[in-house]
Amino acid sequence: MQRITLAPGYEISRVIRGGWQLAGGHGDIDRTTAVEDMVAFADAGITTFDCADIYTGVEELIGQFRLRYRDLRGEEALSRIRVHTKFVPDLAVLPTISKAYVEGVIDTSLKRLNLETLDLVQFHWWAYDIPGWLETAGWLKELQDEGKIGKVSATNFDSDHIEALFEAGIPLTSLQLQYSLLDRRPEKRMVSLAQNKGFALFCYGTVAGGFLSDKWLGVTEPEHPLENRSLTKYKLIIDDIGGWDLFQALLATLRRIADRHQTDIATVASAAMLRKPGVAAVIVGARNRDHLPSNLAISDITLSQQDLAEIDGVLAQARALDGDVYTLERDRTGRHGSIMKYNLNKGPDEGRNKGE
């Protein structure tokens, strides 16, 4: 597994295990098995784990895993484990948010994860038209100065607001964002901004909710409603960049490349993102260890210039998506925004659900 240094003394695996699939709404989870799966990922070299305060039960699971891994492998091995969580204040809280609220959520995450300092906290703000996001980021910086947070980062912020954070004296270590062969909005501004400001990009959605896989090659275009909200979201992107025929052409190209490397479409789609400028890591969703060999292969594959040129040749026919990073999703009156779901009622101590 490839590794990358984000800052002095801070190294992560270039494939990050996502935690959303372990949250509520994805089926029953056997906690003991889930912890042992995490041990298997860490032993294989995927030592960085992504979660959020709103992924129900996931911070607690990772906290249990950390204790289990220390007991099995020792303190030195545990020191290689990095946990990236998210601070996602409820939409209803935004107008009245306070530092006490922020600190309360951070303290809860510390307790759940069995950490004295959170490795890296990714800040999300639902609606820019509600003031307070810059002040809230400042409070996270204060908690960093107080030792409760190791590194302050962000998720789903657009280029204008990232620039504003840096101008306010809040440097970010990283930005988690949707970035895939289908969704190339970050290439408009964010990639160059990341290089200029020196923050890393963590990509989610690299397999587009499963669309970028062998399962969909040669399949007739599906009709709505689709199986889940994730597929609905990425199907809109497929429609917007050129439609099902263009998407099938991309899958066929990825399949030819996968044949050369004796792997699958999803692995090639994620491996291609690791070659993108500014991208430090890709985040892979996993309910268990069933796809661990494929996850490991993401950083093993060396795509050739021919491979990349063939992908670029298909994507040259695609239309550009409107807006900057997460712009479509923030427009709650538009097609993309209409499928976003907000949980307004539960506080952090009650175990909030994923709200995006």
Side-chain angles (χ1 to χ4, degrees):
M1 172 54 54
Q2 294 179 21
R3 303 182 66 79
I4 190 169
T5 298
L6 301 185
Y10 196 86
E11 185 182 76
I12 66 169
S13 53
R14 294 201 71 196
V15 175
I16 297 173
R17 165 146 182 199
W20 180 28
Q21 283 76 10
L22 297 176
H26 293 86
D28 294 334
I29 296 292
D30 181 273
R31 300 182 71 85
T32 300
T33 301
V35 168
E36 294 306 315
D37 286 341
M38 292 182 200
V39 170
F41 270 78
D43 283 347
I46 298 177
T47 57
T48 309
F49 296 79
D50 181 82
C51 59
D53 56 42
I54 58 170
Y55 296 0
T56 304
V58 178
E59 286 184 328
E60 292 95 335
L61 271 176
I62 295 177
Q64 291 178 28
F65 151 70
R66 291 187 67 261
L67 298 180
R68 175 66 173 161
Y69 204 65
R70 179 197 63 191
D71 293 342
L72 289 173
R73 307 291 185 254
E75 292 287 351
E76 183 176 351
L78 181 63
S79 69
R80 289 167 57 86
I81 303 299
R82 300 297 186 188
V83 181
H84 297 173
T85 193
K86 302 182 192 73
F87 168 68
V88 187
D90 293 335
L91 179 62
V93 170
L94 301 190
T96 58
I97 195 167
S98 65
K99 183 179 178 180
Y101 173 89
V102 176
E103 188 166 14
V105 174
I106 295 301
D107 285 344
T108 299
S109 292
L110 285 167
K111 181 179 179 181
R112 290 170 172 173
L113 290 166
N114 295 305
L115 283 165
E116 294 182 1
T117 300
L118 295 176
D119 291 333
L120 184 145
V121 174
Q122 301 161 113
F123 171 40
H124 177 73
W125 190 264
W126 289 114
Y128 294 139
D129 58 343
I130 301 175
W133 58 272
L134 192 57
E135 188 175 21
T136 301
W139 291 328
L140 291 171
K141 180 66 169 62
E142 290 176 9
L143 293 172
Q144 181 185 34
D145 295 339
E146 295 168 15
K148 291 191 175 185
I149 296 173
K151 302 190 181 305
V152 174
S153 294
T155 182
N156 294 331
F157 272 73
D158 64 21
S159 300
D160 285 341
H161 290 80
I162 290 292
E163 285 189 307
L165 288 169
F166 275 89
E167 290 172 1
I170 306 170
L172 304 175
T173 297
S174 62
L175 174 69
Q176 184 177 142
L177 76 175
Q178 184 172 296
Y179 189 14
S180 70
L181 295 177
L182 297 178
D183 184 355
R184 295 178 291 163
R185 285 175 290 177
E187 294 175 8
K188 294 180 180 181
R189 288 179 59 195
M190 192 64 77
V191 169
S192 62
L193 184 60
Q195 293 175 306
N196 291 336
K197 298 295 186 181
F199 62 89
L201 299 177
F202 301 155
C203 304
Y204 69 84
T206 58
V207 297
F211 270 122
L212 288 172
S213 68
D214 288 278
K215 174 182 176 181
W216 290 97
L217 178 60
V219 173
T220 302
E221 182 172 6
E223 297 181 356
H224 292 283
L226 298 178
E227 181 180 346
N228 55 54
R229 189 161 43 89
S230 181
L231 287 176
T232 301
K233 176 175 73 169
Y234 290 108
K235 178 57 167 60
L236 290 177
I237 290 175
I238 291 170
D239 295 342
D240 287 349
I241 68 169
W244 197 250
D245 289 344
L246 177 63
F247 171 63
Q248 285 297 315
L250 176 61
L251 287 185
T253 298
L254 294 175
R255 183 61 258 167
R256 289 195 300 273
I257 296 169
D259 287 341
R260 292 177 200 147
H261 296 274
Q262 298 182 319
T263 187
D264 55 78
I265 288 175
T267 300
V268 171
S270 293
M273 299 313 298
L274 281 184
R275 296 287 301 270
K276 296 287 187 178
V279 172
V282 297
I283 301 167
V284 297
R287 279 180 55 81
N288 50 50
R289 73 186 87 172
D290 288 353
H291 300 289
L292 179 55
S294 295
N295 297 152
L296 292 171
I298 292 171
S299 73
D300 288 340
I301 293 174
T302 301
L303 296 177
S304 68
Q305 290 303 314
Q306 178 185 347
D307 296 334
L308 298 173
E310 290 180 10
I311 294 171
D312 290 341
V314 177
L315 294 178
Q317 306 170 52
R319 293 189 295 264
L321 292 173
D322 292 337
D324 201 285
V325 170
Y326 214 66
T327 300
L328 294 171
E329 292 80 358
R330 287 184 184 279
D331 179 8
R332 282 168 275 166
T333 63
R335 294 189 309 137
H336 290 260
S338 66
I339 67 169
M340 307 312 281
K341 177 182 177 182
Y342 301 94
N343 179 3
L344 309 180
N345 302 315
K346 294 184 178 180
D349 294 328
E350 299 173 273
R352 294 177 286 170
N353 295 319
K354 180 176 174 65
E356 66 178 66

